[in-house]
Amino acid sequence: MKQKLRPRRMRISENIRAMIRETILTPKDFVYPIFVVAGENIHEEIPSMPNCFHLSVDNAVELAKKIFDLGIPAVEIFGLPEYKDEIGSSAWDMKSPVQRAISAIKKSVPNLTIVGDVCLCQYTSHGHCGKLCNDYVDNDSTLELLQKVALSQAQSGADIIAPSDMMDGRVAAIREILDENSFENVSIMSYSVKYASGFYGPFRDAADSAPQFGDRKQYQMDCANSREAMKEVELDIDEGADIIMIKPALAYLDIVKTVRDKINRPVAVYNVSGEYSMIKAAAMNGWIDEKRIVLESLTCMKRAGADIIITYHAIDAANWLK
Ligand code: PBG
């Protein structure tokens, strides 16, 4: 008996597979995160994130040039400050590594898009993402601090502000301060759906941002919830978010798909440190084919609906895709 329908016919050669391929990954999909530190000529590997580095501003600029030449359109800047205090005031200090890196990169690579991560956990002595009132992270007084951070990054030359703190109302607060200061063309990419996730473990080492007590479950989302994700997205759209981000990526692709199907804004995913380091560790042990698994994972994020993928694999993937 002959089969009438044979899906295998469309898989018979790479040419045919390429003709019907629905999702094409390109370096244009990527944003590469950079960790900047004070000092000069610093290039130190982050132990929990193989092949990711703490860079001083001079080296961050050199890397930014390479990233641009690879066809990657954007970088996201994270910083390790020189001092921490109760309210995280080094987060809006114009002399801090982040602000200096943003302006130096903007100057040398003006066409590279710069995303500034806005949060306080790397800058507060207690490691929480906002201002404490006893042991509670106070929402509304934190908003004023986030406004200062966002404004300082826009003044340094950031093109996109990405708040990752998960305070309620922060998108509106940031939009307001940007507009008041004539930064109406600076966009907001909101970490709208950010789960309280164990997958951030290696980043907290990289950014020295682990909470000194408790956890982030009173502000980041419960991994068990998806309806709540849509509520967060709707609020952020109302408040003026230009790009909606979901974080982490791989274990949350159902959320990416739901958000993609329901909204008409660009969708970003953050392929976070734990997702990266698991692949790296397995690859270093020879257990998996790194190139294959990275390209497969990134393609699946795009297939699920991501327009933008923030990933530590961006440089390797862009080289492989050449
Ligand atoms: C800051 C922030 C975190 C990440 C991005 N911004 C850590 C956290 O919320 O604890 C995680 C990124 C990663 O794991 O790669 N709030």
Side-chain angles (χ1 to χ4, degrees):
M1 229 265 291
K2 287 279 184 189
Q3 300 280 334
K4 198 165 93 185
L5 296 173
R6 289 180 185 269
R8 288 185 57 187
R9 274 198 289 262
M10 288 288 98
R11 295 178 205 137
I12 200 79
S13 67
E14 175 50 25
N15 263 343
I16 293 195
R17 291 193 294 272
M19 283 167 74
I20 64 159
R21 189 159 292 137
E22 298 171 35
T23 308
I24 312 285
L25 192 68
T26 89
K28 295 281 172 235
D29 299 323
F30 304 148
V31 177
Y32 184 73
I34 297 183
F35 295 97
V36 289
V37 296
E40 251 174 77
N41 201 21
I42 293 170
H43 184 265
E44 270 169 17
E45 191 169 51
I46 299 164
S48 55
M49 298 177 69
N51 212 27
C52 287
F53 298 87
H54 284 142
L55 300 174
S56 47
V57 172
D58 49 339
N59 284 334
V61 169
E62 289 314 305
L63 182 64
K65 290 180 191 160
K66 287 188 197 136
I67 288 168
F68 186 72
D69 291 342
L70 276 169
I72 297 169
V75 291
E76 177 159 355
I77 309 294
F78 293 92
L80 284 84
E82 287 173 283
Y83 61 95
K84 300 192 189 216
D85 59 25
E86 275 288 301
I87 58 168
S89 60
S90 52
W92 59 87
D93 183 338
M94 291 301 276
K95 293 188 293 296
S96 275
V98 164
Q99 283 75 5
R100 287 193 294 111
I102 292 174
S103 63
I105 293 171
K106 181 87 312 187
K107 210 164 140 202
S108 328
V109 205
N111 294 324
L112 183 68
T113 295
I114 302 180
V115 182
D117 180 85
V118 168
C119 198
L120 296 173
C121 56
Q122 289 117 280
Y123 307 91
T124 50
S125 43
H126 43 77
H128 277 287
C129 302
K131 189 170 163 184
L132 290 185
C133 182
N134 299 320
D135 277 355
Y136 184 71
V137 176
D138 185 61
N139 196 88
D140 296 8
S141 59
T142 297
L143 296 182
E144 294 160 31
L145 307 183
L146 296 170
Q147 285 181 316
K148 288 177 194 268
V149 184
L151 181 60
S152 74
Q153 294 184 354
Q155 284 166 338
S156 307
D159 303 287
I160 300 179
I161 297 298
S164 70
D165 51 281
M166 287 300 274
M167 297 301 120
D168 295 331
R170 91 270 210 206
V171 171
I174 290 173
R175 188 69 270 160
E176 180 188 279
I177 196 83
L178 292 176
D179 289 354
E180 275 171 21
N181 288 275
S182 306
F183 289 113
E184 56 278 333
N185 285 330
V186 170
S187 331
I188 298 179
M189 172 161 72
S190 179
Y191 288 70
S192 303
V193 186
K194 180 172 178 178
Y195 287 94
S197 170
F199 286 102
Y200 308 151
F203 174 95
R204 290 180 188 173
D205 279 353
D208 186 26
S209 64
Q212 298 303 303
F213 66 89
D215 53 38
R216 304 207 200 290
K217 291 183 180 168
Q218 289 186 334
Y219 40 103
Q220 299 180 349
M221 278 184 52
D222 183 338
C223 70
N225 294 354
S226 66
R227 290 190 295 270
E228 189 186 353
M230 282 318 300
K231 179 168 76 187
E232 286 284 3
V233 170
E234 283 156 17
L235 284 170
D236 279 4
I237 289 179
D238 270 0
E239 291 179 32
D242 300 287
I243 301 169
I244 299 299
M245 193 205 299
I246 291 127
K247 176 184 173 186
L250 273 183
Y252 297 85
L253 292 186
D254 58 322
I255 309 296
V256 176
K257 171 82 176 136
T258 307
V259 170
R260 169 70 297 152
D261 288 347
K262 290 198 180 155
I263 68 163
N264 64 1
R265 292 288 199 291
V267 173
V269 290
Y270 200 132
N271 175 211
V272 300
S273 57
E275 301 175 286
Y276 172 84
S277 297
M278 288 194 306
I279 290 183
K280 280 292 193 192
M284 284 159 79
N285 274 297
W287 295 336
I288 57 166
D289 177 342
E290 180 179 2
K291 172 179 172 184
R292 195 170 165 191
I293 285 197
V294 167
L295 294 177
E296 178 178 335
S297 306
L298 299 174
T299 301
C300 293
M301 292 170 205
K302 191 168 180 183
R303 188 204 61 224
D307 303 293
I308 297 168
I309 304 172
I310 302 163
T311 178
Y312 305 100
H313 297 293
I315 295 176
D316 286 338
N319 274 311
W320 291 327
L321 290 168
K322 267 208 284 217

